[in-house]
């Protein structure tokens, strides 16, 4: 049984990791160093944090309509991620290198997962934000796709990019993820996560801004006190 | 060479060919694994007991399974460096010959998706204890809210398939708790260092074919290379194979040193006394034929021969060389071979008879090990005797040199010892007192059968094992709870009751964790109870609300579900489970037990459950070996006394057996004074004291019948020197069990030699040493 034991934790960890790095612009950031077609991608430094809005469309096979949630997120490379649902109901998920905690609208806290595995969580995020591709290359084959050269909205074709991540065969993450596609301009704007079960998530990020630390007090408090 | 000698030589050749063929054809294998020794007793228990495995059998199987597992703990301040180093080292281990599988729980999930899929079909009856408690307390609202949150959470395990079977997302909690129950974290963070295990499964042949030292050496090289490449990387290792190789290495080193010194010493002694290599050849032929016959008997009778039986059996060298020396010291210049032989044959026969009686007593004990030692020794000694009476007379006689220093030394000691002549009354008193004292010692002398006291102990390995236990909660003494019951569901329910009873001990750290079959496959009654809870506390009140969010007919999710049962195919599908069940007994394994008594107390009210400590169980087994060997020794002394009385009459026969009896008492007393542990192996050493000591006494007594007192006493003296060289040097070993054997035999044989003078010397004044004119003429 030994090899199964951390399984549930690691599944959660991998899913969280994917969400984490897929939405932060690290992909584009890293590829920018690798001569990605000219982009205006903003890199997030250790002394910065990224904040914005999200919309998560969860498509489940056989379900006619996706499960849609909306809210705000805050990412600090050194501290973690706060994912605040506004719709269809308010709740908060805090992800750090110590684990994942869910906080209900009544203030109740539930630790979804914790443990030393999550130390790699923030380490990976920091690595990708700083353009250290090695950290991700252990898990994924990274492929640059030709981006659409004409953007109907503003005609700024050079600013659009798209990256595809395919789990390396045999890696545990391949059990959970079939394929990831991320695209954006200044930041990651859209992420599609295809799962082996024919389900997929689409995450749309908007109104993103990079600001200097310190974090807002409420966010800092959430990140500091997630694990009791 | 006469016909008898030729026939015997042919017999020895046939034995050699037969043994070589049997071993090479794998018809008889030599087993060095101590685990195969235990649990092989003949039982006459009732049928019910025979259906259920004994504690020692389960312990043996458990340890055998664990014996093929090695745990390497990697530790580094930097997690990424740790992963890189761990993956590299794991790959090196995978490439090693003798490695079956390598897993990295810290960085690899294994077949997690299939495990999830396996449980998903039965999700309706599976609840974590936390969720179960909430439902029992009527707090289904929280679980419902959590389920809804999971639908929209960024880090969610849900899928369309999982929602159809597990709409309230209960299974992730069950799986997470399962991981905690097993208590083996893949990656831990402690004292600013990250630690992770590499778990290696060895191929079975590594432990049984003598390949283990090679594997350990290779593994140590890999670890040393990895450590040298990164100063911050720490690596600890544990596993039975490391301890076994370490102990074997210590023992081998000691025994090799002792064997070289003893062999050279014996050769020098014989050459020095005879000034000829022929007596050496004669001694080698005698000893060699004994060893060959012993092994042949074993391979013909037993499918598997244990190494300990071979080692103890081989100690008959010390006995059989007596036979050769007893013949060789007789002057041969003006006597025919038959005349020489006639002088020693009665003594040899009687010595052989008493020794065979002694070792026969071992054969009647209910242990395979003692039976093997018995067969080996009896066959070997008979062969040695036959060699002495058939082949040695064919070799040219060589007389001893009277002016050899060893002879001179002997004469001085001989004179002193002969000066002491206890009266018959004193001899009777000595025999009576010794008998009483020996019986008292058997009952009251403290014994220590703890298997941990047998070995040398490797401090570095012990420290590594402790570190791995404290950091990862893995390795160590594999204690377990056995659960007996005719019905598997009864045993699963008992397992659940045990978990409930022990839960407080886990909470306060007195146990790291426990893990049994019922954790992986709950009993049907528990699954039904879970279903009832889910139906009444979740589906009924919250099903319609959840169904408004997800298009799943929640009310029917419990309808078609079959309970999860521990069918053989399911047990086989989940690695690690098969070892938790054996016939009508289930095993619940414990990790990091700090308070054994608390565990025992906690489960004392559960009738079908019992805490088993393998170390205690094996120690108890060796205690039983010791008792059986002690009884066999007592019987041997009685039989030897009877034989001696028949031969020498009363009371001289009693005096003859008094010599080895008092020698045994001296050895036991000396061992006690020197702090030598009395255990099974010590009793076996006393057996050798008895066998050789009886020979000394019998040879001395027989010499009175043939007027060869001086030659016989000198033969006994040479025999003593060779035995002390062979066994006495064992007392210098750093391995406790080897040291104990050497100490006991040394004290015992020296005592037996002195007592052969005092208890067996005649009263007619003809014992004083003489120099044979014949031998003098040969110098």
């Amino acid at each position: 049984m030994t090899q199964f034991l951390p399984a549930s934790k690691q599944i959660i960890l991998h899913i969280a990791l994917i969400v984490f790095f897929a939405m932060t612009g690290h992909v584009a950031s890293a590829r920018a160093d690798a001569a990605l077609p000219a982009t205006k991608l903003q890199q997030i430094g250790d002394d910065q944090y990224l904040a914005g809005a999200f919309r998560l469309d969860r498509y489940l096979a056989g379900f006619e309509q996706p499960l849609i949630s909306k809210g705000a997120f805050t990412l600090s490379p050194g501290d973690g991620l706060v994912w605040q649902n506004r719709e269809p109901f308010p709740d908060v998920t805090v992800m750090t290198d110590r684990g994942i905690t869910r906080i209900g609208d009544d203030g109740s806290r539930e630790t979804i997962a914790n443990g030393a595995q999550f130390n790699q969580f923030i380490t990976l995020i920091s690595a990708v934000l700083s353009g250290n591709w090695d950290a991700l290359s252990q898990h994924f084959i990274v492929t640059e796709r030709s981006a659409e050269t004409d953007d109907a909205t503003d005609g700024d074709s050079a600013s659009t990019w798209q990256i595809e991540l395919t789990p390396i065969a045999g890696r545990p993450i391949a059990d959970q993820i079939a394929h990831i596609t991320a695209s954006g301009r200044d930041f990651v704007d859209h992420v599609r996560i295809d799962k082996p079960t024919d389900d997929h998530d689409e995450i749309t990020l908007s109104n993103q801004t990079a600001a200097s630390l310190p974090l807002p007090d409420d966010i800092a408090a959430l990140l500091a006190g997630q694990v009791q | 060479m006469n016909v008898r000698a030729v026939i015997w030589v042919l017999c020895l050749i046939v034995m050699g060919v037969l043994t070589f063929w049997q071993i090479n054809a794998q018809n008889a294998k030599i087993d060095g694994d101590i685990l195969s020794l235990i649990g092989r007793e003949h039982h006459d228990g009732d049928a019910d007991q025979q259906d259920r495995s004994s504690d020692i059998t389960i312990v043996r199987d458990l340890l055998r399974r664990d014996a093929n597992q090695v745990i390497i703990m990697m530790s580094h301040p930097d997690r990424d460096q740790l992963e890189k180093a761990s993956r590299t080292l794991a790959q090196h281990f995978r490439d090693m010959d003798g490695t079956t599988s390598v897993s990295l729980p810290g960085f690899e999930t294994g077949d997690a998706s299939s495990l999830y899929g396996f449980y998903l079909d039965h999700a309706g009856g599976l609840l974590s204890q936390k969720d179960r408690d909430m439902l029992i307390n009527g707090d289904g609202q929280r679980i419902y809210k959590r389920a809804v949150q999971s639908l929209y959470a960024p880090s969610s395990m849900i899928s369309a398939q999982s929602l159809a079977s597990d709409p309230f997302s209960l299974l992730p909690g069950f799986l997470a708790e399962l991981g905690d129950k097993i208590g083996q974290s893949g990656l831990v963070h402690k004292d600013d260092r990250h630690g992770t295990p590499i778990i290696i499964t060895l191929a079975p042949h590594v432990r049984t074919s003598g390949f283990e030292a090679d594997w350990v050496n290779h593994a140590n090289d890999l670890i040393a290379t990895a450590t040298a490449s990164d100063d911050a990387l720490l690596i600890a290792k544990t596993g039975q194979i490391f301890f076994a190789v370490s102990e074997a290495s210590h023992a081998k080193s000691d025994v090799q040193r002792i064997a070289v010194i003893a062999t050279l010493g014996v050769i020098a002694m014989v050459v020095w006394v005879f000034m000829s290599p022929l007596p050496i050849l004669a001694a080698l032929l005698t000893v060699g034929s004994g060893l060959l016959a012993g092994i042949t008997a074993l391979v013909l009778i037993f499918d598997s021969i244990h190494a300990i039986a071979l080692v103890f059996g081989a100690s008959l060298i010390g006995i059989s060389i007596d036979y050769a020396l007893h013949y060789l010291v007789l002057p041969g210049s003006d006597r025919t071979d038959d005349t020489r032989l006639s002088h020693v044959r009665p003594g040899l026969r009687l010595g052989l008879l008493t020794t065979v009686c002694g070792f026969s007593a071992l054969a009647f004990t209910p242990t395979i090990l003692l039976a093997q030692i018995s067969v080996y020794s009896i066959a070997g000694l008979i062969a040695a005797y036959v060699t002495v009476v058939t082949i040695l007379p064919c070799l040219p006689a060589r007389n001893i040199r009277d002016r050899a220093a060893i002879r001179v030394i002997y004469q001085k000691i001989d004179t002193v010892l002969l000066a002491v002549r206890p009266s018959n009354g004193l001899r009777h008193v000595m025999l009576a007192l010794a008998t009483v004292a020996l019986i008292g010692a058997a009952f009251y002398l403290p014994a220590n059968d703890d298997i941990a006291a047998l070995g040398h102990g490797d401090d570095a390995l012990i420290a590594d094992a402790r570190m791995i236990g404290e950091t990862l909660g893995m390795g160590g003494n594999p204690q377990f709870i056995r659960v007996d019951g005719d019905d598997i569901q009864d045993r699963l329910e008992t397992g659940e009751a045990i978990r409930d009873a022990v839960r407080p001990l886990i909470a306060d750290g007195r146990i790291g964790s426990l893990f049994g079959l019922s954790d992986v496959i709950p009993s049907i009654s528990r699954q039904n109870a879970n279903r009832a809870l889910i139906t009444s506390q979740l589906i009924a009140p919250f099903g319609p609300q959840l169904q408004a969010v997800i298009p799943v007919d929640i009310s029917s999710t419990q309808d078609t579900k079959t309970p999860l049962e521990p069918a053989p195919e399911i047990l086989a599908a989940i690695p690690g489970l098969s070892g938790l069940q054996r016939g009508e007994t289930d095993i619940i394994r414990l990790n990091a037990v700090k308070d054994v008594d608390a565990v025992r107390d906690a489960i004392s009210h559960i009738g079908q459950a019992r805490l088993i400590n393998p170390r205690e169980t094996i120690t108890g087994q060796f205690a039983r070996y010791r008792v059986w060997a002690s009884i066999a020794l007592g019987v041997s002394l009685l039989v030897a006394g009877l034989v001696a009385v028949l031969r020498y009459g009363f009371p001289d026969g009693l005096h003859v057996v008094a010599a080895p009896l008092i020698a045994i008492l001296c050895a036991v007393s000396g061992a006690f004074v020197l702090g030598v542990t009395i255990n099974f192996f010590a009793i076996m050493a006393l057996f050798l004291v008895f066998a050789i000591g009886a020979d000394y006494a019998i040879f001395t007594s027989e010499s009175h019948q043939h007027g060869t007192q001086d030659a016989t006493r000198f033969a006994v003296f040479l025999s003593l020197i060779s035995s002390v060289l062979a066994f006495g040097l064992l007392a210098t070993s750093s391995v406790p069990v080897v040291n104990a054997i050497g100490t006991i035999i040394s004290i015992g044989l020296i005592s037996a030699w002195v007592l052969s003078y005092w208890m067996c010397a005649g009263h007619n004044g003809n014992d004083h040493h003489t120099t044979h004119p014949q031998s003098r003429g040969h110098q």
Side-chain angles (χ1 to χ4, degrees):
Chain A
M1 286 301 292
T2 303
Q3 62 268 43
F4 288 124
L5 293 210
S8 58
K9 286 181 181 177
Q10 291 217 1
I11 291 168
I12 294 170
L13 167 66
H14 288 141
I15 293 170
L17 270 174
I18 291 156
V19 174
F20 221 155
F21 65 68
M23 61 177 288
T24 55
H26 63 273
V27 174
S29 173
R31 296 307 294 168
D33 288 347
L36 194 72
T39 73
K40 296 184 229 173
L41 180 71
Q42 290 191 27
Q43 294 195 32
I44 310 299
D46 287 343
D47 58 346
Q48 289 183 303
Y49 69 92
L50 181 69
F54 74 84
R55 171 186 164 116
L56 169 60
D57 290 41
R58 176 158 288 158
Y59 292 87
L60 299 176
F63 288 23
E64 290 183 3
Q65 299 297 324
L67 298 169
I68 301 172
S69 58
K70 297 176 183 175
F73 73 91
T74 304
L75 169 70
S76 166
D79 299 301
L81 170 67
V82 176
W83 186 269
Q84 295 171 291
N85 265 328
R86 306 267 195 258
E87 298 176 17
F89 53 82
D91 78 340
V92 180
T93 301
V94 182
M95 294 184 268
T96 72
D97 59 353
R98 291 159 295 178
I100 302 176
T101 301
R102 188 180 295 152
I103 304 169
D105 56 348
D106 59 353
S108 61
R109 290 170 175 267
E110 183 176 14
T111 301
I112 306 301
N114 59 20
Q117 286 95 334
F118 289 87
N119 280 294
Q120 67 176 302
F121 196 62
I122 217 69
T123 307
L124 270 179
I125 296 305
S126 301
V128 293
L129 285 175
S130 62
N132 179 5
W133 199 242
D134 287 345
L136 282 180
S137 62
Q138 288 186 24
H139 303 282
F140 294 96
I141 297 168
V142 183
T143 310
E144 174 197 328
R145 292 289 178 204
S146 299
E148 295 296 328
T149 52
D150 294 319
D151 189 295
T153 306
D154 56 15
D156 187 4
S157 60
S159 64
T160 306
W161 52 264
Q162 180 173 299
I163 292 294
E164 294 193 356
L165 302 175
T166 306
I168 296 172
R171 294 293 183 188
I173 204 166
D175 291 339
Q176 310 303 319
I177 301 299
H179 188 250
I180 296 174
T181 305
S183 60
R185 295 187 179 190
D186 296 344
F187 301 100
V188 176
D189 294 330
H190 188 79
V191 179
R192 176 181 167 120
I193 304 172
D194 290 287
K195 301 178 183 179
T197 54
D198 292 336
D199 305 325
H200 74 270
D201 289 351
E202 296 212 15
I203 303 171
T204 304
L205 306 173
S206 58
N207 299 328
Q208 298 180 80
T209 56
S212 298
L213 293 175
L215 290 161
D217 291 344
D218 57 337
I219 300 297
L222 286 169
L223 287 168
Q226 63 142 345
V227 177
Q228 297 300 309
Chain B
M1 185 176 284
N2 64 31
V3 177
R4 289 184 304 169
V6 171
I7 293 172
W8 180 236
V9 168
L10 289 175
C11 286
L12 290 174
I13 291 170
V14 170
M15 283 186 222
V17 172
L18 194 61
T19 303
F20 184 79
W21 171 71
Q22 284 283 90
I23 293 176
N24 272 288
Q26 301 287 314
N27 293 333
K29 70 184 181 77
I30 296 172
D31 192 351
D33 187 357
I34 198 165
L35 295 176
S36 59
L37 195 66
I38 58 179
R40 294 289 176 85
E41 286 64 44
H42 318 295
H43 289 293
D44 299 322
D46 55 33
D48 183 55
Q49 188 60 36
Q50 288 177 348
D51 285 343
R52 287 181 191 157
S53 303
S54 65
D55 288 353
I56 195 72
T57 304
I58 294 176
V59 166
R60 184 192 65 203
D61 291 351
L62 199 68
L63 293 181
R64 191 186 293 283
R65 197 170 294 114
D66 287 357
N68 290 328
Q69 189 182 70
V70 165
I71 301 170
I72 308 288
M73 188 185 82
M74 311 276 284
S75 167
H76 198 287
D78 184 279
R79 187 215 164 274
D80 289 337
Q81 291 298 319
L82 174 68
E83 178 171 359
K84 188 177 176 184
S86 300
R87 288 189 185 280
T88 302
L89 187 59
Q91 189 55 49
H92 286 317
F93 277 115
R94 286 189 182 102
D95 295 339
M96 265 177 72
D97 187 22
T99 300
T100 297
S101 67
V102 177
S103 67
L104 258 178
F107 304 107
E108 297 169 353
T109 59
D111 197 7
S113 57
S114 67
L115 183 68
Y116 190 84
F118 164 75
Y119 277 116
L120 200 54
D121 289 340
H122 310 277
L126 304 173
L127 280 175
S128 68
Q129 188 61 42
K130 182 181 169 188
D131 289 351
R132 183 175 159 78
D133 289 343
M134 278 199 283
L135 293 180
I136 290 172
N137 294 328
D139 199 5
Q141 171 86 18
R142 282 180 60 190
I143 293 179
Y144 163 69
K145 283 188 67 177
R146 187 186 68 194
V148 175
Q149 287 170 332
S150 293
L151 296 174
Y152 302 97
S155 56
S156 174
M157 295 174 71
I158 65 160
S159 65
Q161 186 189 7
S162 72
L163 287 174
S165 297
D166 182 27
F168 289 95
S169 294
L170 299 165
L171 191 53
F174 175 83
L175 288 173
E177 194 173 84
L178 182 60
D180 292 338
K181 284 175 180 172
I182 296 181
Q184 295 177 348
S185 177
L187 190 62
V188 298
H189 190 217
K190 189 176 181 183
D191 299 333
D192 294 328
R193 298 184 70 88
H194 300 274
T196 195
I198 299 174
I199 298 173
I200 302 163
T201 304
L202 304 175
H205 75 269
V206 173
R207 297 303 310 274
T208 56
S209 63
F211 184 60
E212 52 189 8
D214 291 339
W215 194 93
V216 166
N217 289 337
H218 195 171
N220 286 338
D221 289 344
L222 290 178
I223 291 170
T225 303
T227 309
S229 67
D230 187 342
D231 291 340
L233 183 67
L234 291 179
I235 302 178
K237 59 182 184 287
T238 193
Q240 288 182 26
I241 189 170
F242 292 116
F243 286 97
V245 169
S246 171
E247 291 296 344
S249 171
H250 278 294
K252 190 176 174 184
S253 165
D254 282 352
V255 170
Q256 279 178 343
R257 171 175 56 82
I258 291 164
V260 168
I261 295 173
T263 304
L264 292 177
V266 170
I267 290 173
M269 179 191 78
V270 175
V271 171
W272 200 5
V273 170
F274 293 96
M275 283 304 288
S276 168
L278 274 178
I280 290 289
L281 177 64
L284 289 178
L285 278 173
T286 308
V287 170
S289 62
L291 295 178
L292 178 60
I295 296 175
T296 305
L298 287 183
V299 299
L300 289 178
I301 296 172
F302 300 100
D303 296 332
S304 171
I305 308 160
H306 201 275
I308 291 180
L310 284 181
V311 171
F312 267 107
S315 64
L316 62 84
I317 291 172
I319 307 172
S320 55
I321 200 168
D322 291 356
Y323 295 178
L325 289 171
H326 193 46
Y327 174 81
L328 292 171
V329 295
L330 291 178
S333 58
D334 59 353
R335 301 183 187 193
T336 65
D337 293 332
D338 283 345
T339 307
R340 291 176 74 200
L341 201 54
S342 66
H343 288 164
V344 297
R345 190 185 280 130
L348 289 178
R349 282 179 181 165
L350 202 58
L352 177 66
L353 181 62
T354 54
T355 309
V356 166
C357 286
F359 282 110
S360 297
L362 281 179
F364 290 101
T365 61
T367 65
I368 290 291
L369 173 64
L370 298 187
Q372 290 190 354
I373 292 174
S374 169
V375 168
Y376 191 136
S377 303
I378 291 171
L381 288 175
I382 291 174
Y385 168 79
V386 175
T387 299
V388 170
V389 299
T390 57
I391 298 179
L392 265 54
C394 300
L395 300 175
R398 289 290 182 271
N399 289 326
I400 56 175
R401 296 169 58 241
D402 272 348
R403 280 181 290 185
I406 199 165
R407 172 83 178 159
V408 174
I409 293 169
Y410 153 74
Q411 286 170 340
K412 292 186 182 303
I413 298 173
D414 189 57
T415 303
V416 172
L417 289 174
L418 285 175
V420 180
R421 289 183 170 272
S423 65
N424 267 350
L426 183 58
R427 288 171 176 173
H428 294 157
V429 171
M430 287 171 68
L431 175 59
L433 289 177
T435 304
V436 171
L438 208 52
I439 293 171
F443 284 98
Y444 298 109
L445 199 68
N448 181 4
D449 300 291
D450 190 346
I451 53 168
L454 299 179
H456 176 274
D458 186 316
D459 291 340
L461 285 177
I462 293 170
D464 272 11
R466 185 177 296 120
M467 184 194 303
I468 290 171
E470 290 174 353
T471 308
L472 300 175
M474 303 170 76
N477 185 16
Q479 298 181 59
F480 64 93
I481 296 171
R482 68 174 289 169
V483 178
D484 294 311
D486 298 337
D487 182 65
I488 176 65
Q489 290 301 324
D490 289 342
R491 298 199 298 274
L492 290 176
E493 289 176 31
T494 304
E496 286 157 357
I498 290 169
R499 175 161 288 285
D500 290 340
V502 172
R503 186 171 291 118
L505 304 183
I506 298 174
D508 62 22
R510 281 184 281 178
I511 303 179
S513 62
L514 83 164
F515 176 63
L517 197 57
S518 60
D519 293 316
V520 183
I521 303 174
S523 66
I524 290 179
S525 73
R526 173 62 62 94
Q527 291 182 59
N528 288 338
N530 288 344
R531 287 179 193 283
L533 273 174
I534 292 169
T535 302
S536 63
Q537 300 297 317
L538 284 176
I539 294 177
F542 304 109
Q545 297 173 53
L546 188 58
Q547 201 164 322
V549 182
I550 56 174
V552 172
D553 182 5
I554 292 173
S555 62
S556 66
T557 53
Q558 293 281 36
D559 294 346
T560 58
K561 298 302 179 188
T562 55
L564 186 60
E565 292 190 72
E569 60 272 19
I570 292 179
L571 294 179
I574 302 179
L577 286 192
S578 57
L580 299 179
Q581 190 177 42
R582 183 189 172 91
E584 295 182 350
T585 301
D586 287 356
I587 293 167
I588 297 178
R589 300 200 64 161
L590 306 174
N591 286 316
V593 178
K594 294 177 183 168
D595 191 343
V596 177
D597 292 336
V599 179
R600 200 169 272 129
D601 291 344
I603 64 170
S604 60
H605 66 284
I606 304 172
Q608 297 299 315
R610 209 150 37 83
L611 178 68
I612 305 292
N613 183 336
R615 179 172 161 182
E616 288 176 0
T617 306
I618 297 174
T619 295
Q621 185 78 356
F622 273 101
R624 283 188 287 279
Y625 284 177
R626 175 176 53 77
V627 170
W628 278 115
S630 300
I631 293 170
L633 183 59
V635 171
S636 302
L637 284 166
L638 283 175
V639 172
L642 184 64
V643 171
V645 168
L646 288 175
R647 169 70 178 165
Y648 303 112
F650 183 87
D652 288 350
L654 286 184
H655 298 159
V656 169
V657 82
L661 187 145
I662 299 172
I664 289 172
L665 179 65
C666 292
V668 170
S669 307
F672 179 70
V673 170
L674 294 174
V676 173
T677 302
I678 300 297
N679 54 23
F680 159 71
F681 296 98
I683 302 299
M684 292 310 297
L686 292 178
F687 242 98
L688 287 172
V689 171
F690 156 74
I692 300 175
D695 282 352
Y696 290 175
I698 289 169
F699 293 167
T700 304
S701 296
E702 281 295 324
S703 66
H704 297 298
Q705 315 281 334
H706 306 284
T708 55
Q709 296 94 317
D710 183 52
T712 299
R713 289 199 304 276
F714 186 53
V716 169
F717 181 70
L718 294 181
S719 171
L720 175 72
I721 292 173
S722 65
S723 294
V724 169
L725 277 173
F727 294 116
L729 284 172
L730 295 180
T732 65
S733 172
S734 59
V735 181
V737 67
V738 179
N739 175 296
I741 291 170
T743 303
I744 287 173
I745 292 179
S746 300
I747 297 172
L749 291 190
I750 292 170
S751 304
W753 170 62
V754 172
L755 287 160
S756 70
Y757 278 82
W758 294 349
M759 305 303 282
C760 307
H763 296 275
N764 52 5
N766 62 350
D767 284 328
H768 288 283
H769 60 79
T770 57
T771 302
H772 294 283
Q774 299 90 339
S775 60
R776 192 182 299 125
H778 275 262
Q779 289 169 43

